Each structure stands twice: as structure tokens, then as C-alpha cells.
Amino acid sequence: STGRHEEAECLHRHVLQAREEVLGEQHADVVEGARRLAVTLQAQAAEDKVRGLAAADNPADSARHKAKWVEAKALYCRVHKALEERLGAAHIDTLLALRDVAALLEEARELEESEKIYAWVCGDLQAHIGFGHPATLESMRKFRTLLFASGRQKEAEDLFRSAFAAAEHQHGPDSIETLAVAND
């Protein structure tokens, strides 16, 4: 699997560089290419962590691991900024790009910053596309998972109840959206 991630990284870098040269940094295809590279780097860093390559006892592997997180974060932030400039801060794609930043920070154990971003994203999604929208519900699920993992079960349960009630009200008790909230 590591070899496949490295192949994907090489391909994404090549495509991104070519698109930047031809289309410019703000083009939608370039922004999507940056997002795909960030996803690949994030997957590599997560896999390294699972395989123990991020251990402090091996400084070279630890440095490579950290570099993947840092570059992925920079790319996600670049994607968010480009979308914010093109679509506006309240657009769903912009907010979902910001949610990607929060997810990366959560994986990197930067929980306080991740929590702030998740709270912001959930609030903005609720305000702009509605409480029962699938993107809002998914963001709430991710935020709830972070709260639970941080030992804040009461807040996580409250968020679960809110998301479940919103999904049930918006989509009905037997909908895929409601069942997804209930099964998490």
C-alpha cells in the first residue's frame, strides 16, 4: 500500500505542476489537484503512523512523517483560501475544505485547533445550508467523534442528539441520512 501512495503522490505532483503552469494557481482543476495531493499525503502520514514510522526513535522517519503532515496542511489551507476567494466564505465547498483542515489537524493530534474549526464549520453549515443537510450532518458526526475521543462524552452525546433530531425531522426516521447518524 505504501508503494501505491508513493506512486499516487508522484502522479499528483506531476499533474499539479503541469496544471499550474498551463492554467494558473487559482483554476478549479489546479485547486482540485492540490486537494488530491493533500489527501494522498494525509493517507501516507496516517499509514506511517500506524506502521510506527513516526516514532521518535527514528529521527529520519519521524521527520519525513512530520513533513507529510505539514505539506498536507499547507495544501488544504491553500485549497480553502482559493475556494474562499472564488466562492465566498459561506459556500459549502469552502466550508468542506475547511473541514478537511480540521480532520487533518485531528489526525495530527492538534485537537484544540481542530475543535475550533469543526465548531466554526458546523455553525456556518447550519446557518447557510441547514441543520439537516447531509454535509452538515457529516460535519457534526466528525465533530462529535473528536469530542468523544477527547473524553467529552456529554458534549458528544448532546451533538449526537441534535444531529439525530435534525436528520429525523428533515429526512424521516428510516432515511439513509438518519440511519447514518444513528449508526455512528
Side-chain angles (χ1 to χ4, degrees), residues 75-156:
L75 286 164
Y76 278 133
C77 289
R78 172 182 164 186
V79 168
H80 172 255
K81 183 178 183 232
L83 291 172
E84 186 174 43
E85 289 173 2
R86 186 166 27 116
L87 304 172
H91 192 279
I92 185 173
D93 290 344
T94 304
L95 293 169
L96 294 180
L98 191 55
R99 185 180 76 186
D100 289 340
V101 175
L104 177 80
L105 292 170
E106 180 181 359
E107 283 186 36
R109 307 302 298 158
E110 296 180 33
L111 302 181
E112 190 174 312
E113 187 66 21
S114 179
E115 181 181 334
K116 288 177 189 174
I117 294 172
Y118 275 134
W120 177 273
V121 168
C122 288
D124 274 12
L125 287 172
Q126 289 170 18
H128 297 289
I129 62 173
F131 206 45
H133 189 283
T136 305
L137 294 172
E138 176 64 11
S139 297
M140 292 172 70
R141 183 194 67 74
K142 289 176 177 281
F143 187 24
R144 186 175 72 238
T145 301
L146 171 70
L147 292 171
F148 191 81
S150 299
R152 296 164 56 197
Q153 284 76 13
K154 170 86 171 87
E155 291 172 76

